[in-house]
Amino acid sequence: MKGLIAIFKMRFGLILNYRMAAIAGLFTQLFFGFVMVMIYYAFYESSGSLSNSGDLPMTITQTVTYLWLAQGLLGLLPWNGDREIYTIIRNGDYVYELVRPLDMYNFWLYRILAQRIAATILRAIPLFLLALYVIPAELRMQGPESLPLFLMFSASMVTAVILGGAISNIITISILFTIGDGIERLLPAIVTIFSGMVIPLAFFPDWAQPILQFLPFSGLVDSPYKFYLGIYGPSELLTVLIHQVLWTLVLVLFGRWMLEKASRRVIVQGG
Amino acid sequence: MNSLNLYTKMISMTIKSQMEYKMSFILMSFGHFLITFIEFIGMYALFLRFDQINGWTIYEVACFYGLVNTSFAIAEAVGRGFDVFHVHVRKGTFDRFLLRPRNITMQIISSEFQLMRIGRMLQGLLVLAWGLYHLETQLLLSDYMIIIYAMVCAVFFFVGLMVFQATLSFWSIESLEIMNAFTYGGVQTAQYPMDIYKEWFQKIFIFVIPIGSVTYFPLAAVLKGGSYSQGLVMPILGFVFFGVGLLAFRIGTRYYCSTGS
């Protein structure tokens, strides 16, 4: 736990040094948010669903809020592994990782979690403030349905972040097996579309819903957001949390197994 | 040797070196194909729910999507030299370019060529072909010509964006991510017809960052019977944008101050 806090502080300090990059990122995400929101607005408008969403799975306000949430929290999506660890695996500094008196899996997990959380906080807060209060009213994000629902959203976001860490770790560890372009190229596509980052999962055809809900990726984005939007209520909380925690356990065990297998194969060429 | 010969020679060498690792090349291209194709899957799913957007069908929007993605992929492959130009400024290796008795733009363009962008290009072409095939109206030869013309203009536009990005690096290399809003943001925006957006937003993408004029007017002429003269004239803004970019780049080189060594 102490290690976690130390790594976290270090990472946070590091990212705070790149303020210009954060502002540039904020601008980019605000821009993408605008484009996405306007596209959906046009879809709703041209099908006459603005005031009455009919048989659409979400109302326009829910969709717009979902899109802004996704833009703000984009940094939490585990679409890649840890860049610096890629480098040390390639240049051989990986050996130092083996020497550290730390559990390597946990160390990597803490690193990626700290990195994602720090970067996201820095971008999400100003983005949400702008999306909630500043931008034109019809494109604006709405606050949470109620305080209890917001707390449930927060709880499932915490588990979502840890689940994301487990997925990131699998991507990072896979670098030990392939030389950079196997799973690392495939997983971003899978994570992005099945988490609900490309479009809200509810918009996919009805027949696909059971599969989408079963896969671990719905626990990253779609399920937590549904609490914020009031689509899920207290009765779904336990199911969502169990789904996230079970998948996290499975993926952590799988990652650990991969790492152990990889560590045995490592051959260090000189020093 | 004239510049064009030199260019072909250097590019063919780059391609050769990239083909040395064939498996890696295939996997990378496939990765690019997949990561860009999921965007289209999302779009397709939305059309299953909504049928149309502002009167445009999925097939028509697929033409926009295909056109802009194909052009962007070609621009990424060709303009890669400008895309990674900031590295030369940071390390001071731009000096080498300045010393050679050749045109600088030519040197930068021929310094890199990314063949693996063929993944995005193929998916763009596939979607475009799929969209065109399912159109209700019969297209004439002139319609196809206009589409190809728009594609060429769009490539120039996107390379122009990369030139601007490279120019920016003479002053700052920290905030280059801001250009993503215009490159990837431009692609994202132009995947749908311009008329679905709010008016102020359309104006930005027609006059300031003219990807809208380059793709929207020609396709509106072909698909919706819009004005052909507008479809021919407006994409010229893509060339203009590229030209202004080169001009800015030339001014930028005067401000270049080597990092030494």
Side-chain angles (χ1 to χ4, degrees), chain A residues 31 46 138 181 203-204 206, chain B residues 24 49 52 54 198 205:
Chain A
F31 180 88
S46 41
E138 51 185 16
D181 26 39
F203 283 105
F204 280 110
D206 294 326
Chain B
S24 170
R49 292 273 177 193
Q52 46 90 18
N54 213 3
K198 305 274 166 208
F205 278 92

Side-chain angles (χ1 to χ4, degrees), chain A residues 53-66:
Chain A
S53 56
D55 45 0
L56 291 173
M58 287 156 84
T59 66
I60 180 69
T61 13
Q62 284 173 333
T63 311
V64 168
T65 305
Y66 184 110

Side-chain angles (χ1 to χ4, degrees), chain B residues 31-32 47-48 51 58 67-68 78 83 87 96 115 139 145 147 150 157 159 165 173 188 199-200 205 213 236 249 252:
Chain B
H32 263 272
F47 273 95
L48 287 180
D51 291 334
I58 173 72
L67 175 65
V68 71
V78 176
D83 203 16
V87 179
R96 289 190 211 157
L115 199 59
L139 292 191
M145 300 289 277
I147 292 174
F157 164 79
V159 176
Q165 181 181 322
I173 52 163
Q188 180 80 28
E199 211 150 302
W200 59 271
F205 278 92
S213 345
I236 294 175
F249 186 78

Side-chain angles (χ1 to χ4, degrees), chain A residues 42-43 45-47, chain B residues 47 50-61 193 195-196 223-224:
Chain A
F43 267 123
E45 199 175 29
S46 41
S47 62
Chain B
F47 273 95
F50 288 98
D51 291 334
Q52 46 90 18
I53 185 162
N54 213 3
W56 302 86
T57 64
I58 173 72
Y59 306 118
E60 290 163 339
V61 177
D195 62 2
I196 69 159
L223 303 172
K224 282 274 190 269

Side-chain angles (χ1 to χ4, degrees), chain A residues 77-78 160 163 167 187 190-197 201 211-224 243-244 247 251:
Chain A
L77 193 75
L163 172 63
I167 295 175
L187 263 178
I190 293 171
V191 171
T192 320
I193 193 153
F194 290 135
S195 61
M197 202 42 100
L201 292 185
I211 313 163
L212 293 170
Q213 295 307 323
F214 168 75
L215 289 172
F217 311 107
S218 62
L220 293 170
V221 173
D222 200 77
S223 308
H243 174 262
Q244 289 172 316
W247 270 115
L251 294 172

Side-chain angles (χ1 to χ4, degrees), chain A residues 193 198, chain B residues 34-47 58-59 61-63 65-66 69 123 126-128 130-131 191-192:
Chain A
I193 193 153
V198 177
Chain B
L34 212 66
I35 192 86
T36 50
F37 192 64
I38 57 163
E39 285 284 326
F40 184 70
I41 297 176
M43 188 187 259
Y44 188 84
L46 284 179
F47 273 95
I58 173 72
Y59 306 118
V61 177
C63 294
Y65 178 97
N69 273 286
Q123 74 101 14
L126 269 176
V127 173
L128 178 63
W130 178 80
Q191 283 174 357
Y192 284 89

